[in-house]
Amino acid sequence: MARIPIIAGNWKMHKSLGESRKFVRALLPLVQDFASVERVVAPSFLALTAVADALRGSPLKVAAQDGHWEASGAYTSQVSVAMLAPYVQYVIIGHSERRAYLNETDANVNRKAKAILAQGRAPIIAVGESLEQNEAGETVSFVRAQVQAALDGISAADMANVVIAYEPIWAIGTGRSASGADADAIIKAAIRDTVAALYNSEVSDALRIQYGGSVKPGNMQEFMSQPNIDGALVGGASLAVADFAALIEIAARVKG
Ligand code: PGA
């Protein structure tokens, strides 16, 4: 089955409010035409509503970089998925930086995924192994366990709205990416086959899986040429208009 490729730019803690507005104004005309690819930007919370307002009615979609599962409450600093829902189509959860520095656990990723789906929005669930796990040959078992935990209690029907991003931690922001073929093999074994076992082959065949970790224009074609990779979650290269537009153009050419 044809899966619509999805390229998401995760801006992390980059770009002021003004820079965010300026960026999407410059990006939009360059990526208007690639309708075969879903195009997503994930600004900081500060810039989220301004970017969403600027992009309303455009083909560029907006993601939040996190969202709390409770609708409201005494959770200082947090923004709930319910609050985000009018502004975003996607919420990134489980990013390795949040797992490493901000106490993102598998259980919380699962709570967030359910809250996002309950709001009719789509989680981008990030998973991936550390360098130590990779070198110890634990990649597939570790990533499989992350996927199982994230999807616990999520229905087959809701899986149509789930995106999973495979991001080997050792490849994030390091300039060191996995090879396309290696990433594809891990994605197949640890994610697509796991989802087939948890649900069925239709759910697994329809699931969109991104690769992330030092994706840039120079290696995008290699990733997009892989049968199990349906797009990219991009950090560094999503911060420059020309690079991000180039990634979208390559995805449209290879996958669209
Ligand atoms: P990177 O980040 O593209 O800068 O490696 C990817 C990510 O963390 O999503």
Side-chain angles (χ1 to χ4, degrees):
M1 93 161 316
R3 297 184 292 261
I4 297 169
I6 173 167
I7 311 301
N10 171 15
W11 295 358
K12 308 190 179 180
M13 198 170 72
H14 292 288
K15 298 193 188 298
S16 68
L17 177 58
E19 289 165 347
S20 302
R21 283 202 182 102
K22 205 168 144 216
F23 184 91
V24 292
R25 270 202 303 270
L27 178 66
L28 203 46
L30 303 183
V31 301
Q32 284 282 5
D33 287 344
F34 304 105
S36 60
V37 175
E38 233 184 311
R39 294 142 284 176
V40 184
V41 291
S44 73
F45 280 132
L46 180 69
L48 196 97
T49 57
V51 166
D53 287 345
L55 296 180
R56 211 171 292 283
S58 87
L60 259 178
K61 296 180 178 170
V62 180
Q65 296 178 21
D66 186 37
H68 199 282
W69 59 91
E70 294 290 350
S72 61
Y75 298 97
T76 299
S77 86
Q78 296 295 288
V79 179
S80 76
V81 167
M83 292 167 171
L84 293 167
Y87 304 99
V88 306
Q89 288 80 26
Y90 290 93
V91 183
I92 299 168
I93 55 175
H95 193 280
S96 62
E97 287 150 16
R98 287 198 47 86
R99 292 182 193 259
Y101 313 136
L102 296 160
N103 199 32
E104 183 87 300
T105 62
D106 279 337
N108 287 352
V109 172
N110 177 248
R111 289 185 184 100
K112 291 174 183 182
K114 287 174 174 160
I116 295 160
L117 291 164
Q119 289 290 332
R121 299 296 179 266
I124 297 176
I125 302 171
V127 296
E129 83 287 1
S130 67
L131 184 60
E132 297 70 43
Q133 289 163 331
N134 185 280
E135 287 174 345
E138 294 165 0
T139 298
V140 170
S141 60
F142 181 75
V143 174
R144 179 180 294 141
Q146 285 185 318
V147 169
Q148 286 167 335
L151 300 180
D152 186 40
I154 290 176
S155 71
D158 274 342
M159 284 300 291
N161 286 324
V162 169
V163 175
I164 297 183
Y166 169 60
E167 301 202 303
I169 296 169
W170 48 270
I172 296 177
T174 58
R176 197 181 145 187
S177 57
S179 80
D182 285 353
D184 191 76
I186 292 163
I187 284 170
K188 166 90 170 63
I191 305 176
R192 214 173 284 291
D193 290 353
T194 300
V195 168
L198 288 173
Y199 298 90
N200 54 53
S201 59
E202 287 94 276
V203 169
S204 164
D205 287 347
L207 175 69
R208 293 187 297 169
I209 306 175
Q210 298 172 306
Y211 171 78
S214 296
V215 170
K216 40 188 184 281
N219 60 21
M220 184 66 169
Q221 170 141 359
E222 178 183 347
F223 290 112
M224 292 305 104
S225 304
Q226 305 300 324
N228 287 291
I229 298 181
D230 308 307
L233 182 56
V234 186
S238 77
L239 298 174
V241 169
D243 283 350
F244 194 56
L247 296 178
I248 290 166
E249 185 268 315
I250 295 164
R253 179 155 44 78
V254 180
K255 287 263 171 202

